[in-house]
């Protein structure tokens, strides 16, 4: 679900760690939709910038217009604007389209030290863009350049109070909020400036607002070379948070925490200043929505067990009609006893459900089980077995083990765990019947078990399988990868129990 629309107007980084490439990763990781207007192409890597190709302002304007007029924009975030005429154009677009929120990362110097914004363009940035800015995010060198452009003396940052003073000075230039990033001036434990690497303990970012608000975000100092694109990424995280509806202090605090973790968990790529880990808090499921069951049955740890279940000699003997009648009769009785517990488990699933829709679907599956029990009664009649005989029959160990495992999962696990424990029976019988129904060796005539096959390919059972499958596909998307692995183990164990059901009686 897209939670906000963010248009990034910035340069491209060929190495993927900064610029538009990093911006889109950050915005995606925050659940928002990213659009881009490219201001410049760069040839760069973690060791430095080798070349810059500026995109004409007129073409950047076309990109902006295309995005605003079609998809729409909740927040604009600017990065490397590259040229004075581009800055003027962006300011006009912000006014023309009444952009509600503007986050400006005043990209002037890269992490490796390359000049990314001509000095003459800094004045245009201050004059045209800062008055429309919601949040400005300079680091300390960029803050010094902005103040120098306006003839204001540089402030020697020796304390948190100095960071706040710098932010106040820049706020007077027009931005509603100013976040001065303190990464270039780490502090000691007492929040005074660290003079040596050994003294560096804390990084403080200071946000000031027009109403006198001040937010100080303290993070542990990290002696890391994985800092490529930190400014781009922080500003994009703020933009995404604002697009999702957070107020500015909360958006900034959350973004600072995101960046701290992104540096801490960085992949360590490149020979210079490496990229961040932009997806440290994003779960990646190993399947596409709607395809969990397909993924499940094709997993190496499931596939062979599923094949053993699907093509078990007991199953194939039902298909070609060679299964000993006494084995089928014993199986039918045990299956009847199993269905009693299967209905109990589904009733427990209904009890554990958290909404009316899931309760309704569980109830529909229970109703199908009741119909299946009636069919089993007719099977028993056909083979001369009375219901009294069925109820007097002791459960086979395989039946007891299977049913109690399912009920134990229902008692000790959550609703989804129980659904997965039930899945091998619900999905498996439908799959077996479909396989036998179309198998070349299956006998349709003079086969005492053909009616059993037809029962599980009938419309009502197919609908029950669809209901159960839909429930799994819907709820599995809300799980973490770790939880998915736990559920797969439940499925495998229950599937092995199903195989044990086939093996209760001789099949030759």
């Amino acid at each position: 679900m897209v939670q906000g629309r963010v248009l990034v107007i910035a340069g491209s980084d060929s190495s993927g760690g900064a610029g538009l490439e990093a911006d889109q990763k950050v915005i995606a990781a925050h659940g928002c939709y990213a659009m881009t207007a490219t201001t410049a192409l760069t040839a760069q890597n973690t060791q430095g910038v080798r070349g810059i190709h500026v995109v004409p302002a007129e073409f950047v304007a076309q990109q902006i217009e295309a995005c605003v007029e079609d998809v729409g924009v909740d927040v604009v975030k600017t990065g490397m604007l590259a040229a004075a005429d581009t800055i003027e154009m962006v300011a006009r677009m912000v006014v023309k389209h009444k952009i509600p929120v503007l986050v400006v990362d005043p990209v002037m110097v890269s992490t490796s030290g390359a000049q990314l914004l001509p000095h003459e363009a800094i004045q245009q940035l201050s004059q045209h863009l800062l008055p429309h800015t919601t949040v400005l995010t300079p680091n300390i060198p960029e803050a010094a350049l902005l103040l120098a452009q306006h003839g204001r003396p540089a402030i020697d940052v020796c304390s948190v109070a100095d960071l706040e003073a710098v932010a106040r000075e820049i706020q007077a230039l027009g931005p509603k909020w100013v976040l001065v990033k303190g990464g270039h001036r780490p502090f000691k434990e007492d929040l005074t400036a660290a003079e040596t690497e050994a003294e560096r303990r804390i990084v403080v970012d200071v946000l000031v607002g027009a109403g006198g608000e001040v937010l100080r975000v303290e993070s542990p100092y990290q002696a890391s070379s994985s800092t490529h694109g930190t400014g781009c990424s922080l500003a994009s995280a703020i933009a995404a948070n604002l697009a999702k509806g957070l107020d500015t202090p909360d958006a900034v605090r959350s973004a600072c925490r995101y960046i701290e973790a992104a540096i801490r968990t960085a992949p360590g790529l490149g020979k210079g200043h490496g990229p961040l880990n932009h997806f440290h808090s994003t779960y990646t499921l190993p399947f596409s929505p709607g395809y969990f069951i397909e993924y499940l049955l094709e997993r190496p740890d499931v596939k062979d067990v599923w094949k053993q279940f699907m093509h078990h000699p007991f199953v194939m003997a039902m298909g070609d009609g060679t299964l000993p009648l006494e084995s089928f009769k014993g199986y039918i009785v045990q299956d009847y006893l199993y269905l009693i517990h299967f209905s109990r488990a589904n009733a427990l699933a209904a009890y554990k459900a958290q909404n009316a829709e899931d309760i309704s679907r569980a109830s529909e599956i229970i109703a199908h089980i009741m119909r299946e029990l009636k069919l089993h009664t007719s099977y028993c009649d056909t083979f001369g077995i009375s219901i009294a005989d069925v109820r007097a029959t002791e459960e086979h160990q395989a039946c007891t083990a299977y049913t109690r495992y399912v009920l134990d999962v229902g008692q000790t696990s959550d609703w989804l765990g129980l659904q997965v424990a039930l899945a091998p029976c619900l999905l498996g019988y439908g799959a077996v019947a479909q396989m036998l129904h179309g198998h070349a060796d299956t006998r349709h005539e003079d086969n005492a078990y053909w009616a059993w096959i037809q029962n599980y390919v009938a419309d009502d059972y197919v609908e029950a399988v669809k209901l159960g499958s839909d429930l799994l596909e819907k709820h599995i998307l809300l799980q973490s990868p770790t939880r998915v692995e736990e559920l797969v183990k439940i499925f495998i164990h229950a599937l092995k129990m199903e195989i044990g059901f086939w093996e209760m009686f001789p099949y030759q």
Side-chain angles (χ1 to χ4, degrees):
M1 176 180 172
V2 175
Q3 302 180 64
R5 303 162 297 175
V6 180
L7 170 61
V8 182
I9 307 171
S12 171
D13 172 7
S14 57
S15 70
L20 293 174
E21 288 73 15
D23 295 323
Q24 291 174 83
K25 294 171 188 174
V26 173
I27 293 165
H30 282 75
C32 294
Y33 184 75
M35 295 165 283
T36 63
T38 305
T39 60
L41 304 176
T42 67
Q44 65 173 295
N45 55 27
T46 64
Q47 295 176 291
V49 178
R50 299 180 179 182
I52 300 174
H53 177 74
V54 177
V55 176
E58 295 80 7
F59 188 72
V60 179
Q62 290 182 45
Q63 297 175 70
I64 296 171
E65 295 276 10
C67 294
V68 174
E69 293 174 0
D70 182 20
V71 176
V73 174
D74 299 308
V75 176
V76 165
K77 179 258 178 177
T78 68
M80 176 186 177
L81 295 180
D85 57 347
T86 298
I87 293 171
E88 292 180 29
M89 177 276 297
V90 170
R92 289 197 304 272
M93 288 292 176
V94 168
V95 174
K96 175 183 176 180
H97 294 290
K98 300 179 181 178
I99 299 300
V101 180
L102 175 63
V103 177
V104 175
D105 178 18
V107 179
M108 300 174 184
V109 181
S110 72
T111 303
S112 58
Q115 181 82 30
L116 299 178
L117 190 67
H119 285 290
E120 61 271 18
I122 298 175
Q123 182 177 358
Q124 302 300 321
L125 181 76
S126 298
Q127 180 180 347
H128 297 288
L129 207 55
L130 296 195
H132 305 293
T133 299
T134 307
V135 183
L136 182 71
T137 64
N139 56 34
I140 292 174
E142 290 165 345
L145 283 173
L146 282 169
L147 292 177
Q149 183 66 41
H150 289 267
R152 303 188 185 188
I155 299 174
D156 186 19
V157 176
C158 297
S159 66
V160 177
D162 293 335
L163 284 175
E164 184 178 335
V166 170
R168 292 287 182 204
E169 285 281 317
I170 294 175
Q171 189 189 31
L173 303 179
K176 184 176 180 181
W177 296 86
V178 174
L179 173 69
V180 175
K181 300 172 290 188
H184 286 77
R185 199 65 164 116
F187 294 127
K188 296 185 288 188
E189 291 284 358
D190 62 1
L191 296 183
T192 59
E195 301 302 331
T196 66
E197 178 70 25
E199 292 178 335
R200 296 179 177 184
R201 290 289 185 273
I202 299 171
V203 171
V204 181
D205 300 318
V206 176
L207 174 73
V208 301
E213 288 189 70
V214 178
L215 172 69
R216 297 177 179 179
V217 183
E218 297 183 13
S219 304
Y221 170 75
Q222 301 181 76
S224 172
S225 61
S226 296
T227 54
H228 184 53
T230 50
C232 307
S233 298
L234 178 64
S236 286
I238 294 170
N241 287 331
L242 292 172
K244 293 195 293 186
L246 273 66
D247 63 25
T248 301
D250 287 343
V252 168
R253 182 187 294 105
S254 176
C256 290
R257 298 302 181 222
Y258 168 82
I259 294 300
E260 186 272 326
I263 296 172
R264 175 162 35 88
T265 63
L269 301 176
K271 299 175 183 178
H273 295 283
L276 313 181
N277 173 16
H278 295 103
F279 296 101
H280 56 75
S281 299
T282 302
Y283 291 140
T284 303
L285 294 175
F287 53 87
S288 299
Y291 291 93
F292 167 67
I293 294 173
E294 178 183 286
Y295 156 79
L296 174 67
L297 300 182
E298 290 297 322
R299 280 178 57 120
D301 53 351
V302 176
K303 191 172 185 178
D304 289 342
V305 185
W306 180 253
K307 182 179 179 180
Q308 184 183 356
F309 165 73
M310 286 284 292
H311 298 279
H312 193 278
F314 188 98
V315 170
M316 305 312 293
M318 280 196 292
D320 63 22
T322 61
L323 182 70
L325 187 58
E326 290 303 312
S327 292
F328 186 76
K329 288 166 67 175
Y331 157 76
I332 284 295
V333 171
Q334 292 298 319
D335 200 34
Y336 184 98
L337 298 175
Y338 169 83
L339 286 172
I340 298 296
H341 298 293
F342 192 61
S343 61
R344 291 174 59 206
N346 275 282
L348 179 58
Y351 173 77
K352 284 178 169 279
Q354 299 297 309
N355 57 69
E357 180 185 2
D358 291 345
I359 293 172
S360 175
R361 291 194 174 191
S363 299
E364 290 180 47
I365 293 174
I366 293 171
H368 171 78
I369 295 169
M370 294 301 103
R371 291 194 296 272
E372 194 172 348
L373 281 168
K374 289 181 180 179
L375 282 170
H376 274 61
T377 302
S378 68
Y379 287 147
C380 291
D381 289 341
T382 300
F383 295 106
I385 307 168
S386 70
I387 293 301
D389 290 337
V390 172
R391 292 171 178 167
T393 301
E394 183 179 349
E395 283 185 1
H396 194 285
Q397 290 179 350
C399 182
T400 301
Y402 188 10
T403 57
R404 297 330 186 262
Y405 172 71
V406 171
L407 289 168
D408 182 61
V409 170
Q411 292 288 348
T412 60
S413 186
D414 58 9
W415 175 90
L416 186 56
L418 177 54
Q419 291 293 334
V420 170
L422 293 167
C425 178
L426 181 66
L427 305 180
Y429 273 43
V432 162
Q434 290 285 353
M435 181 274 294
L436 289 177
H437 193 268
H439 199 283
D441 294 336
T442 297
R443 286 169 50 196
H444 297 197
E445 298 180 1
D446 298 323
N447 184 351
Y449 317 122
W450 177 243
W452 183 93
I453 296 171
Q454 287 183 305
N455 174 48
Y456 290 105
V457 296
D459 290 344
D460 61 337
Y461 194 82
V462 171
E463 180 60 25
V465 171
K466 184 178 185 304
L467 286 172
S469 300
D470 288 348
L471 282 173
L472 286 178
E473 296 290 0
K474 170 187 172 184
H475 289 277
I476 200 70
L477 294 177
L478 304 177
Q479 309 309 307
S480 71
T482 300
R483 180 56 176 154
V484 169
E485 291 302 311
E486 294 171 351
L487 294 170
V488 169
K489 287 182 173 61
I490 292 174
F491 182 84
I492 292 172
H493 194 75
L495 186 57
K496 289 178 179 178
M497 293 287 191
E498 277 286 350
I499 294 171
F501 225 74
W502 296 141
E503 295 179 343
M504 285 188 294
F505 301 100
Y507 37 81
Q508 291 180 338

